[in-house]
Structures are given as C-alpha cells and as structure tokens.
Amino acid sequence: MLKQSDFIFQDERFADIQLLRYQVPGFEELSLRQKLLIYRLSKAALLGRDILWDQNGAYNLRIREALETIYTQYQGDRSSVDFQQFTIYLKRVWFSNGIHHHYGYQKFTPGFSKQFFVEAAKEVGVDVSILLPIIFDPSIYSKRVNQAEGEDLLLTSASNYYQNGITQAEAEGFYTSQKEMGDSLRPVMYGMNSRLEKRPDGSLYENIWRSGGLYGQQIDRIIAALKDAIPYAENPKQKAVIEKLIEFYQTGNLKTFDDYTILWVQDTESQVDFTNGFTEVYGDPLGLKASWEGYVNFVDPVATRRSQALSDNAQWFEDHSPIDPRFRKKECRGVSAKVINAAILGGDLYPSSAIGINLPNSNWIRAEYGSKSVTIGNLTHAYDEAAKDSGLRQEFVIDEDTLALLNKYACICDDLHTDLHECLGHGSGQLLPGMDPDALKAYGSTIEEARADLFGLYYLADKKLVELGLIPNAEAYKAQYYSYLMNGVLTQLVRIEEGNQIEEAHMRNRALIAWWTLKNFPEAATLTEKDGKHYIQVKSYPMLRTAFATLLAEIQRIKSEGDLPAARQLVEEFGVKVDSCLHAEVLKRWRALNLSPYKGFINPQYELVYDQSGNICDVEIRYGEAYDHQMLRYGKLQ
Ligand code: ZN
C-alpha cells in the first residue's frame, strides 16, 4: 500500500517532463463571494477530466484504472527496475491524459516487461488481458492524431471521436451535407460535441455529448457544480452566461452553444472568468470534434493596482522622458493593463497548458461580437521562474554577487519592466505632424518594441518608482539591467536554431539594445571571456542608464521623424545577425544544463474555511500537493 507519507513534496521530473507549481497571486485580495465563485467553478473545471481521457482513446480510462490500482496496491518489490519503469509510464500517461505523447501523439513504449505487468495486475486482482496489446503492441493505436497526407486520417488515428471503422471519406461526406443544409452566414460548430457512430444498417449518426447522452454522467456532475456557482456570480451578465452553458450541456444544441458564446464574449466586466466545455479541435484529425477543457481565471487586483499607479502618473513620466521635448506627448494617458491569473486548470489544459488563450473559435461570432484574448500571467511567471532555477543563471551570470542580485530582484524588476513597457512605453511620445505611422515599414515593430523596452529600462532606475512604492529600493534595477544585456547578447540565442538569424521583433529589439550598448558605451558594459566562456560584465550601472537614455532619444527621433534609413541601419547592424561562434558556445552551455523540453503544472488546492458558528468565512489556497497525489485524487472526484 502507498502510505500517506509517500505523498511528499518532491521535484517532479520524469521522462521529458518537468512539473511546475504555479502561484495564484491576488487570490487573497478577492472578496469572499469571488473566492467562492472560483471555488465552485474550479470544481466544475475538474469534473470533465474523464471525458477528455475517453476522447483521447477508447481504452484510456480502463488502462488508467488498472495502472492506478497497481500503483497504490502492489505489494511486491517497489524498488525493482520494472516497478520504477512502471511508475514513469504511469506518470507519463497521467500527464498526457492517455497512452499517447501529449505533443508528438506517438504511443508510449513501456519500459517494464509484460510479465511484470501481468503478475502485478494478478496480485492486485485486475484483469488486464484485453489491455495487453493496447499497451504493448506498437502497431496498435500507434498514433493518437495522424495528419500524414494520403492516409485515411480516421482509420490511422487512435483518438475516439469516430467509431472504429468509419472512414475519413464517410465522415467528411456526413459533415459536408450537414453544412450544406445549414445556415451558411452564421454556421454552428458542426460536429463539435459528438462522437460519430454507425448504425447496424450502415447509416451514420451523432452520439451527442450531453446530459442523458454520451458522457451524460460526467456532464450532470458539471451541471451540478455550475448550478452551485450561480449564486456567487458577480453580476446578472455572468449569471446568464452560466445558465446558458447549463442549458447547452442539457440539450447539446449547437445553436444554444453559439448563444452561450455570445453572452460569454460580451461579459467583459466580471473580474472572474472561466471556460468550461468542448473547446479546441487539435485532437481530431478532421478538426471538428472539440476536446473537453476547463479553466478559471481572474484579473489580478495587485498587478492591476501596480499598472494603475503607473498610468495615474503617465504625464509625469512623459514630461521627464530623456527625449527631445518636441517628441513628448502634451497630454498623455497610460494604459491600465489587465493581468489574468489562472486559478485552476482542467481537462485539455492540464497539466500541460497554453499560456495565452484566444476564444471563441467561431469565425462569425468573432467578427460580429469580438473575442477575448488573455495572457495568463501566473503561468508565464512559473515558466520564467523554472527557466531561472534551471541552472541558467549559474551558467551565464559572471559572478556570485551579480547572481545574488538577480536572485533577489530579477523577478520583481521583470514584472515592473513589463508594466512600464505596456502601460507607458508604447503610449509615450508622438510623431511629428503629418508623419506616416508606417514610415518605418518592416523595421517598425522592432523599433517600436525597442522604444517601449528602453522607456522601461530608463525609468526602472528612477527614484520615482521607489516613491510610488513599486520597487523596494534604488539598487534593485541593477538586476534587470544585467539580465537584460545577458538575455539580449547570450541567453535568448538558445531559442534560435544553429545557422539562423534573429527574426522575431521582440528578440531583435533585445539584441539591438544590448549590442548597441556594448559597442557605444564600453565604459558601461562589455562582453568578456573567461575560460572559453563569454559573460556580460557591467562596469557602471549609472553609465548604463545613460546609454539607455541616449538610445531611447535616438529611437524616439527615428520613430517621430519616420527615419527609415536610420531604422534599417540600427536593426540590421545590431538586431539581426548572430555571431555563429558565440551562438554555438551558448547552445553548448545550454544543452549541458539538460533541461526538460516539456513542462506542465500542478494545480493548487482550494479549501473552505469555517468560523466558530459553522459559516464559511474564507477560501484557503494550498500549494504543496504531490503530483501522484493530485492525479489519484482527481481520479476519484465526483
Ligand atoms: Zn510591446
């Protein structure tokens, strides 16, 4: 038996996976009502997990049950190679919500013997005979989603969206005629919420995912959780969204789904938001059937306040910007950015998640009602933190003092730099009258990103930020100055393949700023070599600020005057080219760190807190749950 003491906090790494724990900043600041809304919606976001497992493959749930029973009850030698390999296999299956790789779609090859598996299953009393070929025979269900042209994509894909034996031509014919009969201006999402099946007479029909239909049991649980959430809705609009979603789950009517989507897109005032249902179609080789996912997010009140403080002072920043006064805006308003944090990830967003989400997928609804696009701040942050803890800093930072500086301040400075960039940088400055905003052509976006970054870098070292309480002291900025140069010259190169140049505008801008500074202000910072490795060496941080101010003034001039030749010269000289020797060195150092290529997330836990008279007085958030514990717990949720 697996003892409670086995569920301890541990570094979760296996195969090609690293698991991260994301924090949920701002949750404590929410009202009790909002916390309870998140609590209820989070529950709903976890209840469709089995739907996804079944969508990903017809045997996934049975395999999971067998694996989990062995994992928790096996009394044999748990330190044997077979059992260790079995554990890795189970962790991979958990991570992929099935027996195929979450990204490459190929079936996992077990590292344990068939004999071990059969004996272990016998010991715990599970019959696995039907599962053996599914797990061990590489020729059966070898790929979850096959997209190879020329092959029958349904017959060669293991996903469970179409009944075995239905051909691609049959399914395409079925949906072509559905579309021809339907509304062509405002088409519903045909095929989105059903499994295509065949009657004994050979005719095709949709087995709809709805209450009373396929996955009805799971859907009824989701409906119950959503109903529990309704009393805590923030406003009537949000209440209507939840109610319409329930109606869709009850009826499976795709027209109702569109109505729900329109309500959801139009609810922009609520601080808490969520997605729950059949959403993305990557798992269907024909791109029709949507996998189940759920997540809950909210606008981070702390981060929003931070950006509010900046935008409230936008005019002060504009008036003190180190640029030609002719290019300053006379009346400047900052943008108050919305930072979204995920509160829970479920279904196809768990444990591997997107960090940006843009919905809905219906084209006509997007055109007529708009869309919601969010970047999930706390997940991005968790990725950044993991990158920093990966040994990257130890490898690329020049000395212990600088490393300590970065470990102390890099995170807070990075957030603040992003805020300065987004809330003030892009909105600052003005073009000369009559200037064409597209005058810089293909160089425009790199110059614009550089302008916003430099604005942020310059002000990061300003005592105004200490006065506003946004930065702890007048030294902290140095962390961002160092890491900015290190990234622009060295570490961002790991994202580029050997032999290639820099293409992406943000990466070009960082290279531009860093290399320009090294060339024009060698008394501020240089690139030095130690034992065959290159490092950024900062000689004077105040001088570095002068360098950034100087370049900001020039970049603003280029933008305001539409000086295309100067823009081209700057970008081409500093932002595009990659020194092949330096690139090879950086890649070698990076590879030696041996980082996991894929990452995913462990969810926090939410617990109700009661006062002495038995009333709910708070919702507590906990982070320490072990990966296996969370997976086993989710398997039992009702
Ligand atoms: Zn930008």
Side-chain angles (χ1 to χ4, degrees), residues 421-422 426 449 506:
H421 175 117
E422 299 292 348
H426 280 307
E449 293 309 325
H506 293 83

